[in-house]
Amino acid sequence: MQKNIVILISGAGSNMEAIVRAARRGRWAERFGAKVCAVISNRPDAAGLAGARGEGIATEVVDHKAYEGRDAFDAALIAAIDRHTPALVVLAGFMRILTPAFVAHYEGRLVNIHPSLLPAFPGLKTHERAIEAGCRFAGATVHRVTADLDHGPILEQAVVPVLAGDTGGTLAARVLTQEHIIYPRAVERLLAGA
Ligand code: GRF
């Protein structure tokens, strides 16, 4: 049975691109019958949409601003995602809080990456908060999504040092290079059933 992967983005989509590249290099189609079949953004101006199209992947926008409230938006998003009958829904810089109904609908099929060493620093501005707290190390976490924001069973983590003089920006860039390694790895392990 084909394992369809749907990736949700809101911005640059560099994690999405890392996964698409890994799928190609790692021959996920041949090895797991897996394919990134759609990239969906809640923002029409997400730069990652062009990248996905360049990879020959179907893209779609479900603009949250067009909906009255989270329930209506999540229902529209579910409809768009389910057209692809996904085995896996991958949140890659998708900057919307999802309703419990959405999370329940994709139970066991929904993963996220968060740019901190969870359970430390859920939510926004993680890098600035890690620097401010005097952390010597920061990192990123791939986890299964539960109704609790930025929680859920951890699948992969990577650690980077916090260096003297780091700003939120420099730390974010260091963490992002690790995200591009651990997210494809986590997805590949899920596909392999490991
Ligand atoms: C990543 O740091 C991700 O962890 C965070 O937002 C950033 C998205 O980057 N939630 P990109 O869109 O994958 O380039």
Side-chain angles (χ1 to χ4, degrees):
M1 202 185 67
Q2 165 125 342
K3 290 178 185 165
N4 288 338
I5 302 170
V6 173
I7 304 182
L8 305 192
I9 65 168
S10 297
S14 68
N15 278 293
M16 175 273 294
E17 296 243 15
I19 291 167
V20 169
R21 270 197 304 273
R24 198 168 46 231
R25 284 202 199 124
R27 297 182 302 105
W28 289 1
E30 291 90 332
R31 287 164 63 211
F32 312 119
K35 179 178 177 216
V36 178
C37 56
V39 171
I40 300 176
S41 172
N42 65 305
R43 297 183 56 118
D45 60 348
L49 287 170
R53 281 195 290 269
E55 298 278 358
I57 299 168
T59 62
E60 197 169 333
V61 174
V62 182
D63 187 346
H64 62 276
K65 293 202 185 106
Y67 297 88
E68 281 275 332
R70 287 191 198 283
D71 291 340
F73 169 67
D74 278 12
L77 192 56
I78 285 174
I81 295 169
D82 281 357
R83 277 199 282 279
H84 303 280
T85 53
L88 215 49
V89 178
V90 174
L91 307 177
F94 186 67
M95 304 304 281
R96 299 297 300 169
I97 292 174
L98 298 162
T99 58
F102 182 98
V103 173
H105 184 80
Y106 294 109
E107 199 192 339
R109 293 186 285 163
L110 189 58
V111 293
N112 182 42
I113 190 159
H114 182 74
S116 79
L117 292 172
L118 290 175
F121 308 120
L124 298 174
K125 298 239 166 245
T126 55
H127 307 296
E128 288 80 357
R129 286 155 63 206
I131 292 168
E132 213 166 273
C135 294
R136 301 301 199 257
F137 296 95
T141 305
V142 180
H143 63 99
R144 290 188 185 276
V145 177
T146 61
D148 214 359
L149 179 73
D150 295 332
H151 280 75
I154 291 172
L155 297 169
E156 290 275 351
Q157 281 189 314
V159 179
V160 303
V162 179
L163 302 178
D166 259 342
T167 61
T170 58
L171 182 55
R174 193 174 309 122
V175 170
L176 193 60
T177 61
Q178 296 303 308
E179 294 184 43
H180 297 162
I181 296 168
I182 63 170
Y183 213 178
R185 191 159 70 204
V187 172
E188 180 165 320
R189 282 199 180 145
L190 287 173
L191 293 170

